[in-house]
Amino acid sequence: MLGRNISCSYQKAHFHALLSVSAEPVSSVRAESEVAEAEDDYEIAAEEEEEDSGSGRRSSHSQSKMNTDITASTKPEYPVIDRNPPFPKVVGNFSTLDYLRFTTITGISVTVGYLSGIKPGIRGPSMVTGGLIGLMGGFMYAYQNSAGRLMGFFPNEDEVARYKK
């Protein structure tokens, strides 16, 4: 049974991971039970693939195109301006409050980076690293708020007035 051809790379990796879990000697009973579990997992996955192909559905492993559409578990509470806004539209929609939050997060991160540099020689690199982390975090926070307003998840009276013209 160990010589069986395992077609799915995930199953093969799972099988080999079970065989080489630790560097300590493994009792033959434990190794045999792990091999049996891996073979059972493979058989279950093979049965699921057969069911998927028999019912006309495509299995998730064989899909050639990934769905990049944004879906949410809740419905938007406010008017939707753009269901899936592109990057330039979201950045162009940054409000004054978004820029204020962006710069505040960046400034606080620079300060924390400087203060976390214990030795004087690493304060500068620590400050730059903290600033870069804050810059990225602040941008992502502003982007999230802007996109949320465009998609109708946050209050968006200003955007509705601007885009309905």
Side-chain angles (χ1 to χ4, degrees), residues 50-121:
E50 287 175 10
E51 289 174 4
D52 287 345
S53 63
S55 65
R57 295 184 320 196
R58 295 177 68 185
S59 94
S60 61
H61 297 296
S62 64
Q63 290 180 352
S64 61
K65 186 176 180 184
M66 183 173 66
N67 183 11
T68 58
D69 192 21
I70 297 174
T71 57
S73 60
T74 60
K75 299 278 185 196
E77 298 177 20
Y78 302 97
V80 176
I81 296 166
D82 192 345
R83 187 171 164 268
N84 192 5
F87 181 82
K89 188 172 186 176
V90 174
V91 173
N93 189 53
F94 279 11
S95 66
T96 307
L97 186 58
D98 290 331
Y99 284 114
L100 180 66
R101 290 175 178 158
F102 181 26
T103 55
T104 302
I105 291 171
T106 303
I108 290 172
S109 297
V110 167
T111 307
V112 168
Y114 180 79
L115 295 175
S116 64
I118 299 168
K119 296 180 182 176

